[in-house]
Amino acid sequence: MTEVQDVYRRASQGFDAAVRSVTPDQWSAPSPCEQWKARDVVAHVVEGHRGVIAGAKGGEAAPLAADEDPGRAWEEASRALDQITGEPETLAKEIDGPAGKMPAGQVIGQFVTMDTLVHTWDLARAVGADERLDEDLVRRTYEIMKPMDAMIRQPGVFGPRLEPPAGADLQTQFLCFLGRRA
């Protein structure tokens, strides 16, 4: 197992648990992401996965279709990305990332993992599921994201950083850094 695969699996397991907790009537529940419903959160994560898969393996990244089952789409995208994380040659391939061309492993290990982790909380919050995130993964991701503060404040990325309450735990600090009220 590669390090990228280990980190990705830990993040995807949390998101998978949140997706599996969604009941059919909850797909339209509002999420903490402005103007996004629970379905939109999953669609965003699936589309991000599909983009990395297309970059690493070729093909086109299709958005989640209106009639597509978000749970099934997540299962397929996460399985395909997990496979990539076990292929050192594919992880070394240069693909388009948020900061330009970079190895697929770096895109997955930093950005896909972060996106999956924070949207685990968003989806769980939207549907009333367990909001606890893997503490080691939160620590790792928070340390990676801190130096990217200016980049992630661009429109359409993350909202303004919020001040965490006094004595806040690491997860709350991380979520506030990413503009979430925990």
Side-chain angles (χ1 to χ4, degrees):
M1 178 183 308
T2 66
E3 180 183 349
V4 172
Q5 189 170 47
D6 176 55
V7 170
Y8 173 73
R9 282 183 176 173
R10 289 180 19 224
S12 67
Q13 286 169 353
F15 193 75
D16 190 64
V19 170
R20 289 177 186 275
S21 74
V22 180
T23 60
D25 63 317
Q26 291 179 313
W27 286 116
S28 60
S31 83
C33 302
E34 193 173 315
Q35 300 182 13
W36 278 9
K37 307 283 188 223
R39 186 185 202 309
D40 301 320
V41 172
V42 176
H44 169 78
V45 172
V46 166
E47 289 168 16
H49 276 56
R50 287 176 176 174
V52 171
I53 294 162
K57 293 288 197 176
E60 294 294 317
L64 190 69
D67 63 346
E68 197 171 357
D69 177 304
R72 183 169 295 122
W74 159 249
E75 288 174 19
E76 292 168 1
S78 66
R79 188 173 29 255
L81 196 67
D82 182 69
Q83 181 180 354
I84 288 170
T85 64
E87 301 171 354
E89 321 74 49
T90 307
L91 292 176
K93 183 177 180 184
E94 294 278 316
I95 65 171
D96 291 323
K101 290 273 189 199
M102 56 183 55
Q106 185 178 357
V107 173
I108 296 166
Q110 292 182 358
F111 300 104
V112 173
T113 298
M114 176 276 304
D115 199 52
T116 303
L117 181 66
V118 72
H119 290 311
T120 297
W121 183 85
D122 293 331
L123 182 59
R125 172 67 54 109
V127 301
D130 184 359
E131 297 176 8
R132 286 175 299 172
L133 302 174
D134 178 300
E135 187 173 351
D136 290 333
L137 200 52
V138 168
R139 182 175 289 102
R140 177 190 183 282
T141 305
Y142 193 18
E143 289 305 314
I144 290 170
M145 297 309 296
K146 284 179 188 176
M148 298 181 201
D149 191 25
M151 183 181 102
I152 68 172
R153 303 298 165 209
Q154 296 174 30
V157 183
F158 288 103
R161 179 177 13 170
L162 304 174
E163 189 63 37
D169 64 12
L170 182 65
Q171 177 173 313
T172 301
Q173 292 174 42
F174 172 67
L175 293 168
C176 287
F177 177 75
L178 296 178
R180 267 102 173 134
R181 294 205 183 280

